[in-house]
Amino acid sequence: MMRACGVLVRHSMRRMRTTLAVTGLLLALFQVLLAMAAAELQRQGTFEQLASLVPLFVRELVGTALLSMMSFSGIMALGYYHVAIVAVLVGLVVAAATEPAAEVESGFADLVLAQPVSRTAVMARSVILVLVCPAIVIAAMTGGTFVGLQLARPEAAGQPSAGLIWRLAAGLWSVLACWGGVSLAVGAASRRRAVAAGLAGGAAAALMLVDYLSRVWRPLRGPARLSPFHYYNPLDLVMGKPLPAADIGVLLGTCAVAVFVAFMLFRRRDI
Amino acid sequence: MPTSTPAVCTRGLTKRYGRLVAVKNLDLAVEPGQVFGFLGLNGAGKTTTIRILLDLLRPTAGRAAILGHDCQADGLAARALVGYMPGEGGFYRDMTGRQALGVLSKLAAREVRDAWQRELLERLAFRDSDLDRRVREYSTGMKRKLAIVAAFQADAPLLVLDEPTEGLDPLMQEACYTLLADVRRQGRTVFLSSHVLSEVDRVCDRIGVLRAGELVLEAPVDQVRRMAPRTVRVEFTKPVPPPPAGWPASIEIARVTDTQWSLRVVGSAAPVIASLAGLPVADLDVREPRLEDVVIRYYREGP
């Protein structure tokens, strides 16, 4: 099984390499530009001015987190939680996770599974992709962050620590791994990639929205617990809190359960 | 390599999709070394059976085995012995032909010999430059040729081919028949589904006909052909009396004139020949029965 899984991983990585390289480079470049912009704001002392421009009701809603956002570290963290970037990364894991559905749709699964290749090997390949692809892109982002800090040379007092950057990266990766697992379960049961990706991507967008709204609208706080994004609070990390083990446990536990479900579905289904 | 274990064996194989029965209680045994033609109209259950053999579909009831290995319980061992050509699709459009063959050869149980792969490509008129093009640029025929190479390249003891010559030009069909003949000479088994009865007549040793999921006929091709009447046409130089009344039921009179008899004969034509003694025969034309004469009847009416 290991040999077949290795062949399939290499095959899939070869097909995804351009997407991975372009996404990683763009996000790394974004981090470099963000660091340079934040350093400029810091040199001009405009963080306090920016904070004062925020309407009072927003300040009351966001509370002390606003001060964290309006700091060098807060701006640097933006790349790890901005909705557009998270959406791109979710799109990447959904694409990786729905490869089994694409293979069933194209008939490539027939050719692969007509060889002495187990369905477990096919799914193991997808689990590896779901975990490794976001890790590669986030590693590129993290690299971009460090390069940006080197180039921008901010004042030492406001500079985010390496620990904070790793915690942000680890938190973001955990959310993506969680959603990758769920998407894999959807992809394992589907015959069409568009259907699987639409379901997984649409659900991610809805759950992200629920999580955002729950921060300002109390009745949504209960349902927001179903959203994986609820368990990733980058501003808490910027404010100096540690990466909550319980939240990471929920995310990785959900990933593990979803992956188990995906294996079961794919083993039992008709191709 | 003669062995008593059937190359393909199914017992009570059934596949239902809700109320639709795609394959019903199928009992089949294909001996090693045979080229077995699996026939039936669209939707008869041919591809479903093939997909169960490859464990792509799970049977509702019954079992299937390849060279003694249960297709579901021991599927990896069973599929290690198979080279498969699907009826359609299969390759990612953004892969080159070379990449597609490369991935499949790495997944195969047997090492793919470069020399054999090259020979296959040459025999199917596949150029090196074709291999480096993406599959989306291939014509239907080229995709089929790539699928043939993929199925044959690992020298599997059993080839499962789903309509192998569909979409091929006549030259490539000929190349495919030659490949099948070579495979048969090597003692390997071929299980092929086809709509082209002339092709089946030419390459198969034995056929099975599926109708609405049920096996309605399984027999050697020669025997099936003999189930159809030969057409015998006799022309006379001058008017003769009508044929005698005492012929057996296996001889049917189709049309009779003063100078011509058209007859349909199943089995021995001896009574006809005996009746011609002393008559002024100008010409005798015996047309051999065709496989389709029988198979089409089974398609329409069943057993």
Side-chain angles (χ1 to χ4, degrees), chain A residues 158-194:
Chain A
Q159 188 169 339
S161 67
L164 171 61
I165 293 166
W166 289 122
R167 283 196 294 278
L168 286 166
L172 179 58
W173 179 83
S174 303
V175 175
L176 294 170
C178 171
W179 201 250
V182 173
S183 306
L184 193 59
V186 175
S190 304
R191 297 199 71 81
R192 305 233 176 270
R193 179 179 233 170

Side-chain angles (χ1 to χ4, degrees), chain B residues 138-195:
Chain B
Y138 283 13
S139 65
T140 306
M142 285 182 73
K143 285 182 207 161
R144 301 299 290 159
K145 290 196 291 184
L146 190 66
I148 292 175
V149 176
F152 280 73
Q153 66 177 357
D155 273 338
L158 171 66
L159 289 163
V160 177
L161 312 174
D162 199 350
E163 301 188 19
T165 56
E166 179 92 6
L168 293 182
D169 62 46
L171 282 181
M172 288 306 109
Q173 284 181 9
E174 200 58 40
C176 186
Y177 298 149
T178 312
L179 268 175
L180 288 173
D182 290 351
V183 163
R184 178 159 58 179
R185 265 197 296 280
Q186 292 160 8
R188 288 150 67 193
T189 314
V190 180
F191 186 89
L192 74 89
S193 82
S194 179
H195 281 302

Side-chain angles (χ1 to χ4, degrees), chain A residues 137-222:
Chain A
V137 176
I138 292 173
M141 275 175 70
T142 308
T145 307
F146 286 120
V147 169
L149 290 174
Q150 286 295 316
L151 294 175
R153 298 189 178 281
E155 292 166 17
Q159 188 169 339
S161 67
L164 171 61
I165 293 166
W166 289 122
R167 283 196 294 278
L168 286 166
L172 179 58
W173 179 83
S174 303
V175 175
L176 294 170
C178 171
W179 201 250
V182 173
S183 306
L184 193 59
V186 175
S190 304
R191 297 199 71 81
R192 305 233 176 270
R193 179 179 233 170
V195 172
L199 276 174
L207 290 171
M208 200 186 293
L209 187 66
V210 166
D211 180 54
Y212 270 96
L213 291 176
S214 74
R215 291 168 199 229
V216 293
W217 193 37
R218 193 174 289 272
L220 274 180
R221 288 194 183 163

